[in-house]
Amino acid sequence: MASAEPSLEQMVAELWDREQIRQCLVRYCRGVDRFDRALILSAFHPDCLDEHGKFVGTPEEFVEWALGQHGAAHLSHQHCLLNQTVEIEGDTAHSETYFMFVCMNRKGKPLTLGGGRYVDRLDKRDGEWRIAARVTLRDWSMMDEIPDMDDLTSFTSTRAILPEPVKAFMNAGRGPARDTSDPSYDRPLTVDPSRRDGYLEMMAKTEKV
């Protein structure tokens, strides 16, 4: 028996949800590029965990880390959103959004260019969609040599000077895969809280070096 076609009201409601999810991602990118802390935080639920390469933490912690990194390394930058898939089930959505970032550097090569995916679980709370869990994946970067795809530090611009504890921490995390083991297939998407504990331990070690 064929399933009933969704009503016009249902289709419009889903389109509105999808647009609100897209706008959430747009707010995030604009906030990072403009160093607008409030705008970045508006894209996340406060209890979100973001696994973001060598960083894992809360939205408040992410803002301090990300703006500190960009401010120290770059004169300007853009985060551009590309393909997006969204699966909505009730008040939970899973989104995979391709991104490309371009940075004008303070030192070394003038330009850094790379791309990856924001893999998000979003929750609709009090009528508002925000990110509840995120895994940020790097898929490519402009490089002078072929990278080791099993080494997640290969895509970082600072890979040559990363301390060993940082490299070990990054390579213990989630990376991209060309099969269904990729984090974008996780249902529900979660970030293991022990990864944040490991991040804090790693930071304590590197601060002593």
Side-chain angles (χ1 to χ4, degrees):
M1 182 178 176
S3 59
E5 289 289 327
S7 67
L8 179 61
E9 183 179 3
Q10 289 171 323
M11 289 189 286
V12 171
E14 180 175 337
L15 287 172
W16 177 243
D17 282 337
R18 289 178 178 275
E19 176 60 16
Q20 292 303 298
I21 289 168
R22 190 185 73 84
Q23 287 296 326
C24 176
L25 273 290
V26 170
R27 287 201 309 275
Y28 164 79
C29 289
R30 183 165 186 251
V32 173
D33 290 339
R34 301 279 66 78
F35 278 34
D36 186 332
R37 287 170 166 79
L39 197 57
I40 298 171
L41 292 174
S42 76
F44 296 93
H45 288 299
D47 58 352
C48 173
L49 282 181
D50 182 355
E51 184 160 0
H52 206 112
K54 57 186 175 182
F55 167 87
V56 180
T58 67
E60 291 277 0
E61 293 164 341
F62 172 77
V63 168
E64 296 306 314
W65 175 81
L67 299 191
Q69 294 272 312
H70 279 307
H74 305 127
L75 296 167
S76 67
H77 41 79
Q78 288 188 342
H79 292 69
C80 306
L81 301 179
L82 305 169
N83 300 357
Q84 184 182 57
T85 59
V86 180
E87 298 173 13
I88 302 173
E89 186 171 347
D91 290 336
T92 298
H94 285 85
S95 173
E96 178 188 48
T97 308
Y98 286 39
F99 69 83
M100 181 172 67
F101 65 90
V102 186
C103 304
M104 295 296 296
N105 299 322
R106 293 185 182 278
K107 297 179 181 179
K109 293 182 178 180
L111 191 71
T112 294
L113 182 67
R117 289 167 289 142
Y118 298 126
V119 179
D120 298 317
R121 189 189 85 240
L122 301 101
D123 290 344
K124 188 178 184 181
R125 304 178 190 172
D126 298 324
E128 185 175 17
W129 287 102
R130 293 192 183 196
I131 301 164
R134 165 171 281 185
V135 176
T136 304
L137 303 172
R138 295 280 293 273
D139 289 310
W140 64 274
S141 180
M142 296 295 289
M143 307 179 75
D144 296 326
E145 57 187 19
I146 297 173
D148 177 357
M149 298 300 289
D150 293 324
D151 179 1
L152 299 183
T153 71
S154 294
F155 296 99
T156 66
S157 59
T158 57
R159 57 191 173 276
I161 60 172
L162 285 177
E164 288 304 320
V166 177
K167 292 181 179 179
F169 175 77
M170 290 183 68
N171 282 319
R174 305 291 302 276
R178 299 176 77 184
D179 55 37
T180 55
S181 69
D182 187 83
S184 62
Y185 288 87
D186 287 4
R187 298 292 183 274
L189 178 76
T190 60
V191 175
D192 185 348
S194 68
R195 285 289 291 163
R196 178 172 179 267
D197 295 338
Y199 168 73
L200 296 175
E201 291 174 8
M202 178 269 290
M203 289 299 293
K205 289 179 182 178
T206 55
E207 286 173 0
K208 294 177 182 178
V209 174

